[in-house]
Amino acid sequence: MFRGHTPRTIDTKGRLLLPPDIKAEILRLSPEGKIMLTNFDQCVVGYPLPEWEEIEKSFSSLNMANKLFRDFHRFFLSGAMEVCLDKQGRILVPPYLREYAQLRKDVILAGVGRKFEIWDMERFELKRRSVEENFDLVMDKLAENGFELRF
């Protein structure tokens, strides 16, 4: 599992040094260091290759006659790019993904369970504030849907 968040810097070539805990988790799940990066929710999302393969399989159950499903499938999968950890533990975030997520120099790397996300620092802070403002509403919706969060 990927957890927590940490500020990072992307260099001018688009390389991002991963923290040791995230690097170790990637190598545990994908010993060759392969990661799939894609566009989602205004950030770049990274999955170890075995996790990504499960996501690809899950799309086979969608009814592709539905245009909304086709469009999402196309956007999500066509945005994906396989990258590999280099010897220094860096990944290269492709230019089109940096542009999509508006990644500049200062970013936040957030662990989110089976995946990690790369956010522009300002966007991440805006999202965090928005979630914080709606926290009680979200908790009520979770409870309405049978989810019990144990503190």
Side-chain angles (χ1 to χ4, degrees), residues 86-127:
D86 69 12
K87 292 179 183 179
Q88 288 81 29
R90 299 175 302 189
I91 57 172
L92 179 63
V93 182
Y96 74 93
L97 288 174
R98 292 194 316 264
E99 183 179 328
Y100 165 79
Q102 297 180 4
L103 301 179
R104 299 175 198 89
K105 182 179 178 183
D106 297 318
V107 300
I108 294 289
L109 191 67
V112 190
R114 298 179 359 197
K115 65 185 181 210
F116 62 89
E117 298 175 342
I118 308 166
W119 285 86
D120 169 74
M121 192 174 281
E122 289 178 26
R123 269 187 167 180
F124 184 81
E125 184 57 26
L126 289 171
K127 181 67 80 173

Side-chain angles (χ1 to χ4, degrees), residues 62-77:
L62 279 180
N63 178 352
M64 289 301 169
N66 184 312
K67 183 172 178 2
L68 284 174
F69 295 170
R70 285 194 317 272
D71 287 345
F72 177 76
H73 178 254
R74 182 178 301 113
F75 174 76
F76 190 66
L77 292 184

Side-chain angles (χ1 to χ4, degrees), residues 16-143:
L16 174 66
L17 179 64
L18 298 179
D21 57 334
I22 289 185
K23 178 184 170 187
E25 183 66 4
I26 289 166
L27 291 173
R28 184 182 75 77
L29 296 168
S30 179
E32 52 291 321
K34 292 183 179 179
I35 302 165
M36 291 300 290
L37 298 178
T38 194
N39 39 227
F40 191 71
D41 252 0
Q42 299 182 328
C43 68
V44 174
V45 182
Y47 296 90
L49 191 57
E51 290 290 341
W52 179 257
E53 290 168 344
E54 291 299 316
I55 290 168
E56 286 179 325
K57 286 180 197 173
S58 70
F59 276 101
S60 66
S61 66
L62 279 180
N63 178 352
M64 289 301 169
N66 184 312
K67 183 172 178 2
L68 284 174
F69 295 170
R70 285 194 317 272
D71 287 345
F72 177 76
H73 178 254
R74 182 178 301 113
F75 174 76
F76 190 66
L77 292 184
S78 71
M81 166 76 72
E82 184 177 305
V83 299
C84 243
L85 285 170
D86 69 12
K87 292 179 183 179
Q88 288 81 29
R90 299 175 302 189
I91 57 172
L92 179 63
V93 182
Y96 74 93
L97 288 174
R98 292 194 316 264
E99 183 179 328
Y100 165 79
Q102 297 180 4
L103 301 179
R104 299 175 198 89
K105 182 179 178 183
D106 297 318
V107 300
I108 294 289
L109 191 67
V112 190
R114 298 179 359 197
K115 65 185 181 210
F116 62 89
E117 298 175 342
I118 308 166
W119 285 86
D120 169 74
M121 192 174 281
E122 289 178 26
R123 269 187 167 180
F124 184 81
E125 184 57 26
L126 289 171
K127 181 67 80 173
R128 187 196 64 74
R129 284 188 201 142
S130 172
V131 170
E132 189 175 59
E133 289 170 7
N134 295 303
F135 191 80
D136 289 333
L137 176 63
V138 172
M139 292 295 290
D140 290 345
K141 292 288 183 191
L142 287 169

